[in-house]
Amino acid sequence: MIAILLVTSVYSNVNILLLGRPPSGRCSGRSDVFQPRWETDYLFTEFKGKPLCLVCLETKSAMKDFNLSRHYNTTHKDKYDKYNGAARVAIVADLRGKIHHQQSFFTKATTIQESSLKASYAVSLELAKAKKPLSDGKIVKRLTRRIFDIQNHVEVKLKEVMHDCKYFSLALDESMDVTDVSQLLIYARAIDSSFEVHEELLKLVALHDTTKGRDIFNAVQSVVSEYGGFDKLSAVVTDGAPSMQGKHTGFAGLLQQSGVDCPILHCIIHQALCAKSMNFSHVMDLVTKVTNLIRGGNRSLNHKTFVAILDEVSAVYGDLQMHTEVRWMSRGKRLERFFALLAEIPVFLEDSIRCDTSAYCSKLRDTEFLFDMAFLADITSHLNHLNMQLQGRSQTPSDLYAHVNAFQSKLTLFKEDFSSDRPNLAHLRSVEQMCKDAPNARKTSQVQIEKLQPFFQAKRQERGISFWRLLPESRFPLLRDFALSTAGIFGSTYICEKRNRLTDETLFHLMQI
């Protein structure tokens, strides 16, 4: 045994001396280590011990230079080989940021829940140590002081960000809370010379008296003056209320009268892009009345009977959905369910409802009316999808206009599909179902689409922040400055919807933290 070990050792040493590497089958200790140069050369990064392509998100089993280079040369070389130097570094950083955002999206909700649970345990521990009940004033004051200390630290950091930024924009939203106190949310979106964007809450101002344009202007001016004034202000986005958009006594007019020359934008989500552009009140009125007959008010017996019937016939949906005007996005889901249950609803109205429902039943069997309902259900579903795209943080006006432009193209496609001799209604499932029974009734939907198109005319097409990062500042100073001013603008006031049901100073501290 000793002789065999000695021969093996001599053989290994000879291989190392002659070949400069260990013999075949021996691990050098470097084949499973990710090389930093692979990130810029082959657009790969390390994820959970394996190389991950930044472009197509494909994972390789082994960290070998040959495997990564072959994947890059055969798949991505034609598109990305033209980028060199700073442009290639910017491309890699942008791709890495997209992957990080995608991965963190799924863990964000879990992290928030875990943090809330840890905070509740920490408070319980403090109360247990002090042997005090939850309502003890001293413990609550001590916890409140800690919240204020954290908020003060956040405020100092925010002032540094506002001081170092190139431009910033404001998002304003004023609404009444449950205690009938008007709360004014002031958010800032700041961008520095390296296109790093920060969105933070500047202040939550409680307007206990009037909510006129002068009151809002004084509150905003007082807050912004603490962070350096309006010199770097590029735009203001509001909820479109008269006190905000008024040209003389509103916030917009008073801001311009004070010498601040910047665009005052109306939040694109608050604008009635489509809700008032289609005259389908006759459909929604009947759907609302029939739904109330089945499950509204004190009709619990009717509701239970209806649900039992749907379960007995194995219907597509097990119940109808209620609707409120405030949450207008629920209209699409409500119409979708109602249309899917058209076979069961008239039968239930005739057999189980005591009052006269003959008018409703005749309408629910009228072809023209059902075609209007089918079109409204389909188009509202597409509009809900557009509304969801317009929501979300970190969206610029360019991003929102791109979504609207895409929807305009959809409307053009729908119109062409209706105009052809052999219509393709793959995107309008309910209308497609109705066309099988009444092929001549599709002209109504074509006219409605033509009326809807002008509401989605967009005149701007701009690229994202990742494109402007590629431009060297020495060669394109004016373009980069213009990009900074536009990229720092809020696309909507969606960020202001993140509010709580507390009041005044404590609510502001908690929301900023």
Side-chain angles (χ1 to χ4, degrees), residues 261-308:
D261 186 14
C262 70
I264 311 295
L265 306 179
H266 183 186
C267 172
I268 193 172
I269 300 179
H270 282 79
Q271 297 182 41
L273 292 177
C274 53
K276 298 181 180 179
S277 59
M278 297 183 297
N279 185 19
F280 279 93
S281 59
H282 64 290
V283 176
M284 291 306 303
D285 290 344
L286 185 137
V287 171
T288 302
K289 292 177 181 178
V290 172
T291 304
N292 290 337
L293 281 176
I294 296 176
R295 59 169 303 179
N298 297 323
R299 295 178 175 87
S300 57
L301 179 59
N302 291 341
H303 185 207
K304 288 187 292 185
T305 306
F306 181 70
V307 172

Side-chain angles (χ1 to χ4, degrees), residues 137-292:
K138 294 183 179 179
I139 300 295
V140 174
K141 288 181 180 179
R142 186 167 65 180
L143 296 175
T144 305
R145 284 197 300 268
R146 292 183 182 179
I147 294 176
F148 288 172
D149 293 339
I150 296 174
Q151 186 274 329
N152 290 333
H153 176 74
V154 172
E155 186 175 357
V156 172
K157 293 296 182 181
L158 183 56
K159 287 183 178 180
E160 294 178 1
V161 170
M162 296 293 290
H163 179 268
D164 298 335
C165 73
K166 186 72 175 179
Y167 294 100
F168 74 91
S169 65
L170 298 177
L172 308 178
D173 184 83
E174 178 266 324
S175 61
M176 197 76 66
D177 63 11
V178 294
T179 60
D180 293 333
V181 176
S182 181
Q183 304 286 350
L184 176 64
L185 284 166
I186 306 174
Y187 274 90
R189 176 184 171 95
I191 185 169
D192 58 20
S193 57
S194 61
F195 286 91
E196 290 293 331
V197 179
H198 302 274
E199 293 183 355
E200 296 292 343
L201 174 66
L202 287 186
K203 194 73 173 180
L204 176 68
V205 183
L207 304 177
H208 292 277
D209 297 325
T210 59
T211 57
K212 299 179 180 179
R214 173 62 64 180
D215 302 321
I216 297 175
F217 174 75
N218 292 337
V220 174
Q221 186 180 39
S222 175
V223 172
V224 175
S225 61
E226 300 177 4
Y227 294 90
F230 294 105
D231 295 337
K232 301 178 182 179
L233 183 64
S234 58
V236 179
V237 183
T238 71
D239 56 4
S243 58
M244 293 283 191
Q245 296 292 116
K247 296 182 179 180
H248 301 289
T249 59
F251 169 80
L254 296 174
L255 185 64
Q256 294 179 352
Q257 293 172 17
S258 65
V260 180
D261 186 14
C262 70
I264 311 295
L265 306 179
H266 183 186
C267 172
I268 193 172
I269 300 179
H270 282 79
Q271 297 182 41
L273 292 177
C274 53
K276 298 181 180 179
S277 59
M278 297 183 297
N279 185 19
F280 279 93
S281 59
H282 64 290
V283 176
M284 291 306 303
D285 290 344
L286 185 137
V287 171
T288 302
K289 292 177 181 178
V290 172
T291 304
N292 290 337

Side-chain angles (χ1 to χ4, degrees), residues 442-496:
R442 59 187 177 91
K443 295 182 179 179
T444 304
S445 298
Q446 180 180 351
V447 173
Q448 291 296 333
I449 289 179
E450 293 176 354
K451 293 181 179 180
L452 193 63
Q453 276 185 301
F455 289 88
F456 293 91
Q457 296 291 339
K459 301 179 180 180
R460 295 176 57 184
Q461 290 183 350
E462 301 175 24
R463 307 300 293 272
I465 294 178
S466 58
F467 169 77
W468 298 109
R469 285 181 179 148
L470 303 178
L471 300 181
E473 188 175 2
S474 57
R475 294 182 58 187
F476 305 98
L478 296 180
L479 277 178
R480 281 181 62 93
D481 187 73
F482 170 76
L484 287 169
S485 63
T486 55
I489 298 177
F490 276 108
S492 66
T493 58
Y494 174 80
I495 191 174
C496 299

Side-chain angles (χ1 to χ4, degrees), residues 309 342-353 361 364-365:
I309 292 175
L342 279 178
E344 294 80 11
I345 291 176
V347 177
F348 178 79
L349 293 178
E350 293 174 343
D351 297 343
S352 304
I353 302 299
C361 293
L364 293 177
R365 294 187 175 98

Side-chain angles (χ1 to χ4, degrees), residues 90-113:
I91 286 288
V92 172
D94 183 62
L95 292 174
R96 195 191 311 115
K98 290 180 180 179
I99 292 180
H100 176 72
H101 176 73
Q102 182 179 3
Q103 294 171 348
S104 62
F105 176 80
F106 296 99
T107 59
K108 182 178 179 181
T110 305
T111 304
I112 294 175
Q113 293 177 356

